[in-house]
């Protein structure tokens, strides 16, 4: 009998982390509205939670035995199949951040890394620790990534180019045609990483994705995550798609071993179409609410295609963010080069109602 079947009958109790248990209070202090890390509080999917419930008691065992616990294989095949790729085109990592760091470790010895002037940067701190130079190319005045300027400085001393599409913290997608041309041209000289953490929230996810370039044997590495639309940030599962030799090279530098609970939840979330549609709809609804809140105060939001909104509030953001935090509403500010911009992540709609009230009051009092 398979372990999965055996455990199905045990009825292992698992508390939802947000069920009001003491663990819930540990993760989220009571009354706090947390709109700061681009999480998705509508996850994980109910099917993922139920599946985890079935396997959590198996956590005594390493989750990569192909006969007893083939979940990594199941997940890899499900993702590869959906993208029309082979399992050799894919690696699963501990959050997409691990795949990004592993790529930096695998390729960084060749030379510097080219990135947009304002973008997601947790993995870039890791590159700095490794002593790799980061060349940061300023955004255009419309906050778009300047692909022409980046392309112009790619030479043989660049080990890789990193782009996020849509970008964080702006929420803006990159023009699809221009990005596709960039990847084809620049990929001839160096690896191009396209971080698609927020792809499922874009207006037209499959058209805006660069995964077709993997199918067309181009030198790109696409990263994706279960932290955003799937609402599983705490379970740390992401993946990367690329040419088999790129995947093999990056896999060699991964550090974490597969996490069985996370893989199980990821697999079942991936197949839970109903949850994915629900999650997207709630996030888009929330985004419209946040846009309306900002506009009512005379602030123009950047048109986001993600689960966060970036906006220039015209006053110094660090102080403003601290005043919001005093009212128990956490948002982000203090972006280098963008001292008057804030970023608001989507929370549950009830939290966004609190944001609406607190933002309007604090903003009116700050001007
Ligand atoms: C653009 C982007 N990439 C990657 C990540 C990392 O996500 P994770 O490691 O949870 O997959 C984030 C997290 O906010 C992000 O904004």
């Amino acid at each position: 009998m398979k372990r999965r079947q055996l455990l199905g009958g045990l009825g292992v109790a698992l508390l939802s982390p947000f069920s009001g248990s003491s663990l819930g209070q540990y993760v989220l202090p009571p009354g706090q509205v947390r709109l700061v890390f681009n999480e998705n509080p509508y996850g994980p999917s109910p099917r993922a939670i139920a599946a985890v419930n079935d396997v959590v008691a198996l956590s005594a065992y390493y989750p990569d035995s192909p006969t007893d616990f083939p979940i990594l294989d199941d997940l890899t095949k499900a993702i590869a199949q959906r993208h029309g790729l082979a399992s050799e085109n894919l690696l699963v990592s501990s959050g997409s951040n691990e795949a990004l760091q592993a790529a930096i470790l695998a390729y960084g010895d060749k030379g510097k890394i080219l990135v947009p002037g304002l973008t997601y940067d947790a993995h870039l701190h890791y590159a700095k620790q490794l002593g790799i130079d980061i060349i940061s190319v300023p955004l255009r005045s419309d906050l778009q990534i300047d692909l022409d300027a980046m392309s112009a400085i790619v030479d043989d001393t660049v080990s890789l180019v990193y782009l996020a599409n849509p970008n964080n913290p702006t929420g803006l997608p990159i023009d699809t045609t221009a990005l596709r041309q960039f990847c084809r041209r620049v990929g001839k000289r160096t690896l191009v990483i396209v971080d698609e953490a927020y792809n499922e929230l874009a207006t037209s996810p499959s058209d805006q994705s660069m995964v077709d370039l993997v199918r067309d044997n181009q030198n790109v590495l696409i990263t994706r995550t279960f932290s955003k639309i799937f609402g599983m940030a705490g379970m740390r599962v992401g993946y990367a798609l690329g040419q088999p030799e790129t995947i093999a090279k990056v896999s060699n530098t991964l550090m974490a071993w597969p996490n069985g609970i996370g893989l199980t939840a990821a697999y079942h979330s991936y197949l839970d179409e109903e949850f994915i549609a629900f999650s997207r709809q709630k996030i888009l609804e929330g985004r419209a609410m946040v846009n309306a809140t900002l506009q009512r105060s005379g602030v123009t939001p950047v048109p986001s295609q993600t689960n966060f909104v970036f906006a220039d509030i015209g006053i110094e953001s660090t102080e403003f963010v601290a005043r919001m935090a005093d009212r128990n509403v956490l948002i982000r500010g203090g972006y280098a080069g963008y001292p008057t911009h804030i970023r608001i992540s989507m929370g549950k709609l009830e939290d966004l109602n609190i944001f609406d009230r607190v933002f309007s009051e604090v903003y009116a009092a700050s001007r």
Side-chain angles (χ1 to χ4, degrees), residues 37-38 94-98 100 120 162 164 166 168 195 197-198 224-228 233 236-238:
F37 294 128
N38 300 344
S94 178
S96 57
N97 191 66
E98 191 201 17
L100 294 169
Y120 174 72
Y162 168 80
N168 176 8
D195 177 342
Y198 301 98
R224 294 274 187 104
T225 183
F226 282 90
S227 300
K228 307 302 175 184
R236 313 304 304 130
V237 186

Side-chain angles (χ1 to χ4, degrees), residues 291-301 310-314 342 359 363 367:
N291 284 338
T293 298
L294 295 170
Q295 279 158 343
R296 261 198 308 278
S297 290
V299 172
T300 306
F310 195 54
D312 185 355
I313 54 172
I342 56 169
F359 177 85
Y363 192 59
R367 300 177 75 204

Side-chain angles (χ1 to χ4, degrees), residues 328-342:
N328 233 358
V329 177
L330 308 187
I331 60 170
R332 265 201 70 179
Y335 290 97
Y338 297 84
T340 57
H341 279 74
I342 56 169

Side-chain angles (χ1 to χ4, degrees), residues 1 7 13 37 109-110 124 146 174 283 338 346 354:
M1 184 190 261
L7 278 161
F37 294 128
D109 57 355
K110 187 181 150 200
L124 303 179
D146 196 339
I174 307 174
I283 290 166
Y338 297 84
M346 290 317 101
I354 298 173

Side-chain angles (χ1 to χ4, degrees), residues 19 22 40 43 45 61 78 105-106 136 173 204 211 227 230 266 301 334 340 344 356:
S19 65
S22 56
N40 170 14
S45 108
Y61 302 97
L105 192 54
S136 206
S204 184
V211 174
S227 300
F230 296 101
T340 57
I344 306 115
D356 179 67

